[in-house]
Amino acid sequence: MERKKGVVEICYPVVLKIYKKMHLWKISVPGKDRVKTDLSRLYPGENQEERITEYYVRKLTMSLMIFFVGILLILFVALGKSEGNPIKNGWMKRADSGSGSKDYIIIGKVEDGSQYSFALTVQPRKYRQEELQKLVDAFREELPGLICGGNESLDCVREDLQLQEEYDDYPFTVTWKSDRMDVISPEGKVNPQEQDSAVRLKAELTYEEYQWETETSVTVKNQNDVIDKSEKAVLEKMLENAQASDPEQEAFMLPESIDGKKISWRQRNLTELQLLLGTLVTIAAVFFFKDRDIHELVEKKKQEEKRKYPEILQKITLYLEAGLTVRAAMNKIAEDYEQTRKKGAKEQAAYEELLIAVREIRMGVSEGAAYEKFGKRTGVREYIRLSTFLTQNVKKGSTMLLQQLHEEAKEAEEMRMRNARKLCEEASTKLLLPMIMLLLVVMILIMFPAFSNVGV
């Protein structure tokens, strides 16, 4: 496992000490057995305990780094948005005059345990006359959308309208009048009749000593509707009324109770919570999906070893036919590979495994045990079968070894051809989309001049 330079490498020794001091290696982590197997196949001949320790310490280091970065982001967002708590002793502080409205998410907790969340826009304390006129013009233009509610349009009303005293981004107190009180009440209650009903709604806008009027037409369709008078809807209306009262004050009193039950209020900030959850999810993904990456490397190594199998098999067969023993043939193959690697050739997993087996034999391990380990380390069926042939030859002196290897070489060559055809088919499939795109480009280049000359 290559050492990486940077912050992770700096933190690695500290996390390693914590890992050993707290005996974290004793914790049973899901998938640890498979990780041990994968690491032993990726790094054969090395101290596996050290490899496992290094692997998990690096994962912990990365997880801690992500955690600290997430905490820093949360603090940065919190400090960037910090303007003091707008709610103090049940009072909501207003925005300064001319600074525009401010959005808050507040939570009201009723004494009996009920809890409700509201998106509250706090308006500025006061506007200049020219600003008010612009807001009146904008209100008239946006009026249909403001009062439409859940209806398709004002020409097709089936649900209650949002005839409110206050609207977001507007400082006016709105008084509604209806020329058909039996169809639409000033509060927006819709009572469908037997026939479609046309209603004229008048809105009187009031801000301090200023007043404006605007009208709009509404068509109520013949359809009944039930209004939900839930506790939350009542609280929402109470919030609107609270903000509408005494708009010149810097703060307004939030509702203290509903139906005799006390309400406590606090501000909720979703951004920090989302960042924290995102950080934890990222840590879990890095920690557990890292195991999958290791397993994918093992599978990639197996595929590489499979591709080299026919080549190694042919070399063993060739040397045996030349009169060399199995041990001498393995030594020759390993030495040739070692020489080419010293000259700068790329490492090849299958030859590395064979080289380990040869070195084990030189160190005193029996041939049979070395060949058997060679097959198990690769985890590839073909090499396991080859190691079985070689082990049987060492133990029993099989005279059928050359014949077995010839048959195995023939089968391996067929397997290589099948794999080559499979790769060609996959390549053709991957090239299909680019070829279609190129065909479209060519067709456009050919047809565009023809169409452009049609009107000439």
Side-chain angles (χ1 to χ4, degrees):
M1 198 175 297
E2 296 180 359
R3 291 285 180 122
K4 296 180 180 179
K5 296 181 180 180
V7 181
V8 175
E9 190 61 35
I10 294 171
C11 297
Y12 178 85
V14 178
V15 180
L16 179 60
K17 288 181 180 179
I18 296 172
Y19 184 82
K20 291 181 177 179
K21 289 268 187 183
M22 298 182 67
H23 301 284
L24 298 180
W25 50 273
K26 292 182 179 179
I27 299 175
S28 180
V29 182
K32 193 171 184 178
D33 292 336
R34 193 176 80 166
V35 168
K36 287 181 178 180
T37 304
D38 290 342
L39 288 174
S40 65
R41 288 177 178 172
L42 278 177
Y43 308 102
E46 298 187 21
N47 189 318
Q48 294 305 312
E49 290 301 323
E50 289 183 2
R51 280 292 179 183
I52 292 167
T53 299
E54 184 179 5
Y55 174 75
Y56 279 105
V57 170
R58 285 193 173 279
K59 284 212 303 182
L60 282 172
T61 305
M62 292 178 65
S63 300
L64 287 174
M65 293 297 297
I66 294 169
F67 178 75
F68 287 130
V69 170
I71 294 298
L72 288 175
L73 284 174
I74 291 170
L75 291 175
F76 178 77
V77 172
L79 291 173
K81 296 175 66 177
S82 177
E83 299 175 355
N85 190 352
I87 301 176
K88 292 183 179 180
N89 299 322
W91 289 80
M92 170 67 78
K93 187 178 180 181
R94 290 185 180 278
D96 294 332
S97 177
S99 64
S101 61
K102 293 187 178 180
D103 296 327
Y104 297 95
I105 297 176
I106 61 174
I107 297 174
K109 189 174 183 181
V110 186
E111 191 176 20
D112 64 356
S114 302
Q115 184 168 292
Y116 305 99
S117 175
F118 301 92
L120 185 63
T121 301
V122 179
Q123 304 294 342
R125 286 188 294 131
K126 192 175 181 180
Y127 288 85
R128 295 191 298 272
Q129 186 175 1
E130 56 269 21
E131 293 175 327
L132 289 172
Q133 188 57 52
K134 290 180 181 179
L135 288 171
V136 170
D137 295 338
F139 181 83
R140 286 171 176 162
E141 291 181 6
E142 297 181 11
L143 180 60
L146 292 172
I147 68 174
C148 194
N151 297 289
E152 297 178 9
S153 67
L154 295 184
D155 295 329
C156 184
V157 174
R158 294 186 175 89
E159 299 179 6
D160 290 349
L161 297 174
Q162 294 183 354
L163 303 185
Q164 304 168 182
E165 292 184 6
E166 295 282 341
Y167 289 92
D168 292 343
D169 300 326
Y170 295 101
F172 318 115
T173 298
V174 185
T175 303
W176 292 95
K177 292 183 180 179
S178 169
D179 66 348
R180 291 286 305 273
M181 299 283 289
D182 58 327
V183 180
I184 300 179
S185 70
E187 292 78 26
K189 171 72 176 181
V190 175
N191 298 306
Q193 305 296 306
E194 293 182 0
Q195 302 294 330
D196 292 352
S197 304
V199 182
R200 195 74 180 170
L201 293 177
K202 179 188 288 186
E204 295 181 352
L205 312 180
T206 305
Y207 183 85
E208 296 182 350
E209 70 274 14
Y210 303 104
Q211 287 188 343
W212 303 267
E213 289 185 358
T214 184
E215 292 186 358
T216 187
S217 297
V218 176
T219 302
V220 178
K221 295 296 182 179
N222 179 22
Q223 180 176 337
N224 292 323
D225 188 38
V226 180
I227 302 177
D228 178 19
K229 292 296 183 183
S230 63
E231 189 175 53
K232 181 176 181 179
V234 175
L235 270 175
E236 190 168 9
K237 188 66 177 177
M238 292 171 69
L239 281 173
E240 294 170 3
N241 294 335
Q243 186 174 186
S245 64
D246 204 359
E248 292 187 355
Q249 295 297 322
E250 291 186 357
F252 60 91
M253 176 69 79
L254 295 170
E256 295 180 310
S257 63
I258 180 171
D259 296 332
K261 297 175 288 186
K262 292 183 179 179
I263 307 171
S264 60
W265 297 93
R266 63 183 174 86
Q267 183 184 6
R268 184 180 71 183
N269 196 325
L270 293 177
T271 305
E272 285 81 354
L273 178 61
Q274 290 170 347
L275 280 173
L276 179 60
L277 291 175
T279 300
L280 295 176
V281 170
T282 304
I283 290 171
V286 168
F287 194 84
F288 290 103
F289 282 93
K290 190 73 174 174
D291 295 349
R292 188 183 66 177
D293 294 341
I294 290 292
H295 190 68
E296 287 178 357
L297 287 175
V298 172
E299 292 300 318
K300 185 178 179 181
K301 180 184 177 185
K302 284 183 179 180
Q303 293 300 322
E304 182 186 343
E305 290 172 342
K306 280 184 179 181
R307 287 194 293 270
K308 290 295 178 181
Y309 180 68
E311 180 182 314
I312 291 175
L313 194 62
Q314 288 174 0
K315 286 183 179 180
I316 294 173
T317 306
L318 179 64
Y319 288 138
L320 290 179
E321 288 178 339
L324 296 181
T325 62
V326 173
R327 180 172 180 174
M330 299 291 276
N331 279 330
K332 178 62 176 172
I333 296 171
E335 287 172 1
D336 291 344
Y337 166 72
E338 198 168 13
Q339 289 296 324
T340 56
R341 195 184 64 177
K342 286 179 180 179
K343 292 177 182 179
K346 184 181 177 181
E347 288 189 5
Q348 298 179 29
Y351 284 97
E352 288 291 331
E353 297 289 356
L354 193 145
L355 186 58
I356 291 171
V358 170
R359 287 172 178 172
E360 285 179 341
I361 295 171
R362 291 172 184 171
M363 294 173 63
V365 179
S366 65
E367 279 191 66
Y371 298 148
E372 190 174 352
K373 287 180 181 179
F374 164 68
K376 288 181 178 179
R377 276 198 310 271
T378 61
V380 180
R381 183 180 58 185
E382 288 77 9
Y383 288 96
I384 293 173
R385 191 162 55 244
L386 174 61
S387 66
T388 303
F389 294 152
L390 298 178
T391 304
Q392 288 177 352
N393 179 72
V394 171
K395 291 180 179 179
K396 301 178 181 179
S398 175
T399 56
M400 301 292 292
L401 179 60
L402 270 176
Q403 183 179 346
Q404 291 172 333
L405 292 179
H406 278 299
E407 293 175 356
E408 187 70 15
K410 183 179 179 181
E411 186 177 340
E413 186 63 25
E414 292 176 357
M415 180 190 70
R416 188 181 68 82
M417 295 298 293
R418 286 196 301 269
N419 289 338
R421 283 194 293 269
K422 183 180 178 182
L423 290 173
C424 289
E425 291 171 359
E426 290 176 356
S428 300
T429 304
K430 291 178 181 178
L431 288 171
L432 184 62
L433 180 60
M435 289 173 66
I436 292 174
M437 294 176 67
L438 287 173
L439 177 62
L440 291 174
V441 172
V442 171
M443 291 178 66
I444 291 171
L445 291 174
I446 293 173
M447 298 176 68
F448 180 76
F451 280 106
S452 62
N453 292 328
V454 169
V456 177

